Amino acid sequence: MKVLLFFENQKKMKQSGIGRALTHQKEALSLAKIDYTLNYNDQFDIAHINTLFFESYRVLKMCKKQGKKIIVHGHSTKEDFKYSFRLWWLLAPLFNHLILRMYRHADAIITPTLYSKSLIEHYKNITCPVYAISNGIRLEEYIYNEDNVLSFDSYFNFKNCKIVICAGLYFDRKGILDFFEVAKKMPDVKFIWFGYLKPIMTQMKILKAIKHKPDNVFMPGYVDIKVLRGAFHRADAFLFLSKEENEGIAVLEALASNLVTIVRDIGVFKDWLIDGENCFKGNTINDFIDKLNYVFSHDMTNIKKRAYQVVEDRTLDKIGNQLKEVYYKVYNE
C-alpha cells in the first residue's frame, strides 16, 4: 500500500502544529513500513489529506474521480477557530464551510483525541467513521541535554529565579491574556511566551496587551531549537491556558520533557490528563497562581513520572501502527 500525505502550503505551516504533524506522520509511516508520497501526481492507493483549503479540495476531487479512498485529518474544528485570528467571526462561516466540505467527502476522518472525535461526529451530515489517533511524539527529541540548557541560559541570562513558559500563536484562544494576568500577580517569576503571529493577523486587543505586557513577561518569538528545548528543561512549569484544543502538541512536548504542566480544565484534556496525578488543572487566575505556587514548593517527582507515561503511549511507532490499521480498514471497505 502507498499513501499520499497531502499538506497544503507546507513551508508556511512548518512551525505550526500541523507542520509538526507532517513530520510525525512521515516518521510514523516509515516505522510502520507504509510507503508514502507527498506528490499527488505519484501513484498511490489512499489519500490522507491534512489541510482544508482550496488546493486540498482540488486534490480530494481528483482522488474521488480516480476512485481512490480518502482520509481527511481533523486537525481543525469549528470550535478551535473561535477567538483566534483577527476578524475570526467574519471568517468563521467560510472556515466552517471549508471544514464541512472536506469532512463530508471523506471515507474516514482521523482526529487527535476522543474530544475532537466527539465534536466532529456531531457536525451535520458527517456519516463516515471518525478515528481518534494522537499526533504523537518523538521522545528522543526531549531527552535532557545540557548543551540545550546552556543555550537557553546564554540566551536569557536569568539568575536564581523561577521560570514559567508557554508556546503558541498570539491567540486569545491560547490564553495569552490570562498568561499576562498570572504574570502580573507573580512579579518575582519570569514568564516566557514562545511563538509568534504577524500583527496583521493578530487581534487588536492582543496587540494592545503585548504592548503593555508585564515587565516579567518575555516574548522572543521563534528561537533556535536548542534554546527552545533548553527552556523545556530549565523551566519550573509549563503554563498552558488554552480555552480550546484538539490535542495540544506543546503539552505533549512539555510532558515528554519532564516539565510540570498546568492546563486550563477543558474538555480535550478530560480523559488523559488528571489533576494532581500527571498535571495540574485550573479555571481562574487565582487557580493558576495557586497551582504554580504549589509546584514551586513541593516535590514533583511522581507527577513527572506519571506524566511521562502519558506520552509513552503516544510514541510514533504506536501511532504508525494505528494509522496502518485505519488505512487497511478504509482500503478494504
Side-chain angles (χ1 to χ4, degrees):
M1 175 183 292
K2 190 171 186 177
V3 177
L4 167 68
L5 293 180
F6 185 76
F7 284 74
E8 196 168 340
N9 294 325
Q10 289 180 33
K11 291 182 179 179
K12 290 183 179 179
M13 292 188 173
K14 188 176 180 180
Q15 291 178 308
S16 69
I18 294 179
R20 279 175 285 173
L22 169 60
T23 302
H24 289 177
Q25 282 178 22
K26 290 191 295 184
E27 183 166 345
L29 294 199
S30 295
L31 290 169
K33 296 182 170 50
I34 292 286
D35 195 15
Y36 69 85
T37 179
L38 303 180
N39 185 353
Y40 58 77
N41 290 315
D42 287 347
Q43 291 296 317
F44 57 88
D45 302 294
I46 286 183
H48 183 170
I49 302 175
N50 280 265
T51 41
L52 304 167
F53 302 106
F54 302 104
E55 182 71 3
S56 302
Y57 186 65
R58 189 182 71 80
V59 171
L60 181 148
K61 296 294 283 184
M62 178 195 78
C63 294
K64 281 283 185 185
K65 190 174 182 180
Q66 295 173 357
K68 292 177 178 175
K69 294 295 181 73
I70 298 161
I71 295 171
V72 174
H73 210 108
H75 294 291
S76 301
T77 60
K78 293 188 286 185
E79 290 75 11
D80 79 349
F81 187 72
K82 295 177 181 178
Y83 308 105
S84 53
F85 300 98
R86 182 183 293 197
L87 303 179
W88 67 267
W89 61 92
L90 294 179
L91 298 172
L94 172 62
F95 185 78
N96 295 346
H97 168 73
L98 294 175
I99 283 180
L100 294 177
R101 183 173 67 171
M102 294 295 292
Y103 290 174
R104 287 169 181 168
H105 283 88
D107 295 295
I109 297 168
I110 293 174
T111 192
T113 58
L114 291 172
Y115 171 75
S116 53
K117 169 178 156 67
S118 70
L119 293 179
I120 293 170
E121 286 177 331
H122 283 87
Y123 292 164
K124 189 176 181 180
N125 296 331
I126 300 297
T127 58
C128 68
V130 183
Y131 300 95
I133 300 178
S134 170
N135 286 307
I137 190 85
R138 291 188 76 239
L139 290 182
E140 57 270 28
E141 288 185 357
Y142 303 95
I143 296 171
Y144 183 88
N145 183 304
E146 186 66 26
D147 286 342
N148 291 345
V149 175
L150 290 173
S151 295
F152 171 84
D153 287 338
S154 175
Y155 189 96
F156 286 98
N157 196 31
F158 292 154
K159 302 293 184 183
N160 301 318
C161 61
K162 297 295 183 182
I163 299 171
V164 175
I165 67 171
C166 187
L169 299 175
Y170 297 164
F171 288 168
D172 182 11
R173 173 176 67 80
K174 288 288 185 182
I176 190 169
L177 298 178
D178 284 349
F179 189 83
F180 289 168
E181 284 301 310
V182 174
K184 190 184 298 181
K185 296 187 177 184
M186 303 183 78
D188 295 331
V189 178
K190 304 294 186 186
F191 288 77
I192 309 172
W193 185 285
F194 293 101
Y196 179 74
L197 185 65
K198 291 180 179 179
I200 196 171
M201 301 173 71
T202 305
Q203 290 180 279
M204 290 301 296
K205 66 178 181 179
I206 303 297
L207 292 175
K208 184 177 179 180
I210 291 171
K211 185 176 180 181
H212 299 287
K213 66 179 178 61
D215 292 338
N216 60 328
V217 173
F218 300 83
M219 306 185 74
Y222 291 114
V223 296
D224 183 88
I225 191 64
K226 293 182 68 175
V227 175
L228 181 61
R229 289 184 180 156
F232 274 81
H233 289 296
R234 174 68 176 80
D236 297 280
F238 186 76
L239 183 63
F240 192 74
L241 305 184
S242 181
K243 302 169 186 176
E244 181 69 31
E245 290 290 326
N246 290 324
E247 182 171 39
I249 289 180
V251 171
L252 297 184
E253 292 172 334
L255 301 178
S257 303
N258 283 300
L259 177 58
V260 179
T261 300
I262 300 169
V263 299
R264 193 185 300 274
D265 191 4
I266 57 176
V268 70
F269 301 130
K270 183 178 180 180
D271 61 316
W272 54 286
L273 291 183
I274 302 171
D275 184 34
E277 181 171 321
N278 52 29
C279 77
F280 293 97
K281 294 181 178 179
N283 291 299
T284 68
I285 300 300
N286 286 336
D287 285 346
F288 303 133
I289 292 171
D290 289 343
K291 300 291 184 179
L292 282 171
N293 283 325
Y294 183 85
V295 169
F296 295 159
S297 59
H298 288 76
D299 181 6
M300 292 290 110
T301 302
N302 289 331
I303 295 286
K304 292 177 182 179
K305 189 180 299 183
R306 290 189 290 263
Y308 198 77
Q309 292 170 356
V310 172
V311 286
E312 284 183 318
D313 291 336
R314 291 162 170 78
T315 55
L316 293 183
D317 58 328
K318 294 183 175 71
I319 300 308
N321 287 330
Q322 292 171 33
L323 290 172
K324 183 177 183 178
E325 184 178 338
V326 171
Y327 290 159
Y328 276 103
K329 188 178 292 185
V330 172
Y331 183 74
N332 290 328
E333 287 175 352

